[in-house]
Structure formats: structure tokens, C-alpha cells
Amino acid sequence: MRGMRTSRRASGARRERCRSGHRDTENEMNEEIAGKAVRMRESANATTYTISDLAKEFDITTRAIRYYEDQGLISPARRGSRRIYSRRDRVRLSLILRGKRLGFSLQETRELFDLYDNAPGEQAQMSHFMELLGARRAMLERQMEDIRAILDEIDAAEKEARRSIAARALEPIPAMSPSA
């Protein structure tokens, strides 16, 4: 019951703030839910994001996002103990995850970010990216050759096992001798 009263008071205060114009837009208005401030906005269109916004959008854990921050790949601003992520951080997170899908290490992703930060012209970055893609392609092609060889070995072992089973099925069953 007491929590309900607090919620109603917070709701009334929220309406009052909106009427008084203390909030710039409806999307920036904070809503009090279960005692926590929740930012109301469309994640992809926002200029700033919370760690929860990004975790939901990219379907990853907040722990993973903090790890990328610890590795120096993203660098959110701080407001007290809260992390405030910019559009740049969001784009970088998207690129980190794309790099993971392509098989790039975090070190390779960091190199690309460093190239871009030091030489914002895309030529050097794209050349390096093409080199990384070429190396990744060559590695995957070697892996495909290895997989094909292993599949050939599995096919041969399977064929041999089938022959063995068929040969045993054709063998006469020895007669059981009566024990007396």
C-alpha cells in the first residue's frame, strides 16, 4: 500500500514537471517505475543510451558491454556512477559485434578503430579491413578443406561399418547345443 502511494506521488510530480516545461521532450522524460528512473525513448533514434538500452538492442549482457569498455573499445561518459553511451559508442558496439560474427579478434577490431581515430579518412582503414578480410577468407578456406577431409574419413568409416554389419547379417547363426 505504501509503495502505491509513493508511485502516485511520483506520477503526480512527473505530470507537474511536464506541465512546467522542465523536460525538453516527452522522450527525455524520466518515468519512476519500481523506484528506478527509466529513460523513455526509441533506442536507435536516441542521442544517448543507457547500458540496458544497448544490451536489449543488441541482445547481449551488460557484463559484455562493460568488458568492451574495460578493453578500451567503447568509452561512455559518466554521470555519477551511471554510464551514458553516445551514438559513437552505439556504432562501435555494433561494429564490435559484426567483427565477432566475421571472426575478428577484439585486437583486430581495436586496430581498425585506432586507424579510424588516427586517420579519419577511410582509405587506410578500408585497405586494412580488406587485408583482414582476405586473411580471414584464407583461414576459412583452409578450415573448409580440413572439414571436407574429415567428412571424407567419416564417410569411409561409415561405409566400412555398414559393410561389417551386412556381412554379419549374412553369416549363419550357430546352432545352440542342448545342455544335458
Side-chain angles (χ1 to χ4, degrees), residues 14 19 64 66 68 70 81 86 99 108 116 129 133 151 156:
R14 191 172 47 253
R19 284 187 207 126
R66 286 191 296 269
Y68 298 139
D70 291 343
S81 64
S86 65
E108 289 168 326
Y116 182 78
F129 182 61
L133 285 175
L151 287 174

Side-chain angles (χ1 to χ4, degrees), residues 65 68-78 83-86 88-90 92 96 117:
I65 295 171
Y68 298 139
E69 181 185 345
D70 291 343
Q71 296 300 308
L73 296 170
I74 53 178
S75 52
R78 298 263 182 175
R83 293 170 169 85
I84 308 298
Y85 295 88
S86 65
R88 178 178 188 256
D89 294 319
R90 182 181 170 278
R92 281 181 169 235
I96 291 165
D117 290 342

Side-chain angles (χ1 to χ4, degrees), residues 6-7 10-11 14 17 29-38:
T6 304
S7 178
S11 179
R14 191 172 47 253
R17 282 193 304 257
M29 182 176 72
N30 285 336
E31 217 176 89
E32 199 75 2
I33 298 176
K36 295 182 181 177
V38 176

Side-chain angles (χ1 to χ4, degrees), residues 1-12 32 35:
M1 198 58 131
R2 187 173 187 202
M4 197 67 152
R5 277 187 231 130
T6 304
S7 178
R8 284 185 193 144
R9 271 184 272 167
S11 179
E32 199 75 2

Side-chain angles (χ1 to χ4, degrees), residues 96-140:
I96 291 165
L97 297 174
R98 181 179 298 161
K100 278 183 62 176
R101 283 191 306 272
L102 291 172
F104 293 143
S105 69
L106 292 181
Q107 180 58 38
E108 289 168 326
T109 301
R110 181 181 296 109
E111 288 172 13
L112 288 171
F113 287 168
D114 289 345
L115 260 176
Y116 182 78
D117 290 342
N118 294 329
E122 289 186 26
Q123 184 64 32
Q125 185 183 23
M126 285 308 210
S127 295
H128 186 64
F129 182 61
M130 293 296 291
E131 288 173 16
L132 290 175
L133 285 175
R136 183 73 182 146
R137 177 184 296 278
M139 185 186 76
L140 288 172

Side-chain angles (χ1 to χ4, degrees), residues 139-150:
M139 185 186 76
L140 288 172
E141 287 173 351
R142 283 191 303 271
Q143 286 178 340
M144 275 184 17
E145 289 172 14
D146 292 342
I147 289 170
R148 283 188 189 112
I150 291 169

